[in-house]
Amino acid sequence: MSLIELIDKRTVKVPLEARDKQGVLRELVNLLASATDKVSDPEALYRAVLDREALGSTGLSEGIAVPHGKTNAVRNVCLAIGVAPEGIAFDATDGKPSRLFFLIAASADKAGPHIAALADIARLAQSGALIKALVRARDASELIAILQGD
Amino acid sequence: MTKPVERIMVYLDGSEGSILAMRLAVVLADFMGAELYALSIVNTRALSDLVQSHIFLEAEREEYRKELFDDGARYLNHAVEMGRKKNIFVKGVNVSGSIAMGIKEKVDELGIDLLVMGPPPRIRSRRDALFDELESAMRTVDCSVFIARNEERIEKLYREL
């Protein structure tokens, strides 16, 4: 399952309202829970993502962060994307603020699609120009168009 | 005269498309009198990429590797059972590595004449198309490739077998 297949305009938020790490995770989880029927227990999903972050930040270089979690509180694989143009302190590997967030959650029996989607993001993260273009997107439609057109 | 197709292989990833491809392959194996292989690949290449990019921790790599292996074994068991129901012997093969390379290597190693695959997703980006492992396999394997389409017809063929 590729990243493109998971993108849903309802679960893309530009810009995010949150101003700190926990707030971003909460906002993205709530977005998934309110816009789709894939999340049966938002609190359990938030906990799963937070527990993973406690083991090591998923904030990468170039301002991208990929919080993720495996929990049966979600059905199949789901993705929320958020942009914080001002940047959020996310304990990233390069110490810089994170601006582009891909939150991916999958149920325990969906390891294959989960890995495939994360691998797509890993490839995307190698393109600094693409990340900058995504961060500059004015709204969800523009962000999706950039991802699909790339 | 040499049989046009002696060995068929299906790549299984648990998707509906790959299950459809498996059903078609069972039908084709019966019709052509061909041997049938089902291939599952633990995508350790993707796991390594995720660790290198710092998305995954080492512990996650190992956890997911085991899960992918178990998933693969389950897909193969399902494929063997699909064949057994129609009196077709299916040989399951479970390997690790990259998807595209794994398919290509097994086609060569087993002397596969026909690779049967599920339909690719319809919505794609240029980046996706470039990096899609199945498309890469389809472009580079040294055998004919059959794409399973028309679910209704394939289900009917499989049922009637």
Side-chain angles (χ1 to χ4, degrees):
Chain A
M1 182 172 280
S2 71
L3 181 66
I4 290 292
E5 290 174 88
L6 288 174
I7 293 174
D8 179 338
K9 190 177 174 184
R10 297 171 302 169
T11 61
V12 178
K13 188 153 185 193
V14 182
L16 289 165
E17 292 168 19
R19 291 289 172 263
D20 60 25
K21 183 172 182 173
Q22 279 73 21
V24 167
L25 298 177
R26 177 71 78 180
E27 190 173 357
L28 291 172
V29 165
N30 288 346
L31 185 63
L32 271 176
S34 61
T36 75
D37 60 356
K38 287 185 169 183
V39 182
S40 60
D41 185 346
E43 195 56 33
L45 171 56
Y46 177 66
R47 282 282 147 216
V49 174
L50 215 54
D51 287 349
R52 167 59 187 83
E53 287 298 320
L55 298 174
S57 175
T58 58
L60 315 179
S61 58
E62 303 284 350
I64 187 169
V66 192
H68 55 271
K70 184 171 56 174
T71 169
N72 285 329
V74 302
R75 189 164 51 81
N76 212 333
V77 184
C78 49
L79 166 75
I81 303 174
V83 176
E86 307 302 318
I88 304 280
F90 211 82
D91 309 312
T93 52
D94 61 1
K96 293 180 181 171
S98 300
R99 292 183 164 81
L100 178 62
F101 301 87
F102 291 87
L103 186 145
I104 294 196
S107 55
D109 62 340
K110 293 292 176 189
H114 194 181
I115 296 297
L118 285 168
D120 277 352
I121 296 175
R123 279 193 289 270
L124 182 152
Q126 291 170 3
S127 172
L130 176 59
I131 293 169
K132 280 178 188 161
L134 292 169
V135 169
R136 281 198 296 263
R138 284 165 296 186
D139 53 35
S141 298
E142 190 174 325
L143 184 142
I144 292 170
I146 293 168
L147 277 174
Q148 289 179 331
D150 181 63
Chain B
M1 179 189 164
T2 307
K3 281 202 291 187
V5 175
E6 293 187 347
R7 280 175 287 275
I8 300 171
M9 188 169 81
V10 181
Y11 167 66
L12 295 174
D13 60 6
S15 65
E16 289 179 11
S18 74
I19 300 297
L20 188 67
M22 189 67 212
R23 289 207 171 92
L24 178 61
V26 168
V27 172
L28 292 173
D30 180 75
F31 184 72
M32 296 172 169
E35 290 178 40
L36 181 53
Y37 293 82
L39 174 67
S40 173
I41 300 174
V42 177
N43 194 349
T44 49
R45 164 79 181 275
L47 292 175
S48 295
D49 289 347
L50 290 174
V51 172
Q52 277 179 9
S53 63
H54 302 289
I55 293 175
F56 263 12
L57 306 166
E58 272 296 340
E60 286 179 295
R61 182 202 328 233
E62 186 54 22
E63 178 187 337
Y64 276 86
R65 191 192 63 73
K66 285 178 185 161
E67 286 182 18
L68 291 175
F69 183 85
D70 291 344
D71 286 349
R74 204 169 61 246
Y75 303 152
L76 292 179
N77 285 339
H78 184 52
V80 168
E81 184 62 16
M82 283 169 64
R84 193 193 60 74
K85 284 179 181 169
K86 303 297 179 182
N87 295 317
I88 298 293
F89 179 64
V90 178
K91 295 175 187 171
V93 182
N94 204 349
V95 300
S96 298
S98 87
I99 305 296
M101 282 303 295
I103 293 173
K104 186 170 164 48
E105 283 173 8
K106 281 297 161 191
V107 163
D108 294 342
E109 186 185 317
L110 299 171
I112 300 298
D113 309 300
L114 181 65
L115 176 66
V116 182
M117 301 173 76
R122 286 183 185 167
I123 304 169
R124 312 308 302 260
S125 69
R126 288 199 295 274
R127 174 178 288 265
D128 253 13
L130 189 64
F131 287 110
D132 189 285
E133 295 249 34
L134 293 181
E135 288 196 17
S136 173
M138 195 168 64
R139 284 194 301 267
T140 57
V141 286
D142 192 20
C143 73
S144 300
V145 179
F146 214 113
I147 302 292
R149 288 191 196 275
N150 193 337
E151 184 176 351
E152 201 174 311
R153 177 167 160 74
I154 291 171
E155 295 288 355
K156 181 171 180 286
L157 289 169
Y158 180 78
R159 262 198 323 272
E160 290 175 355
L161 188 63

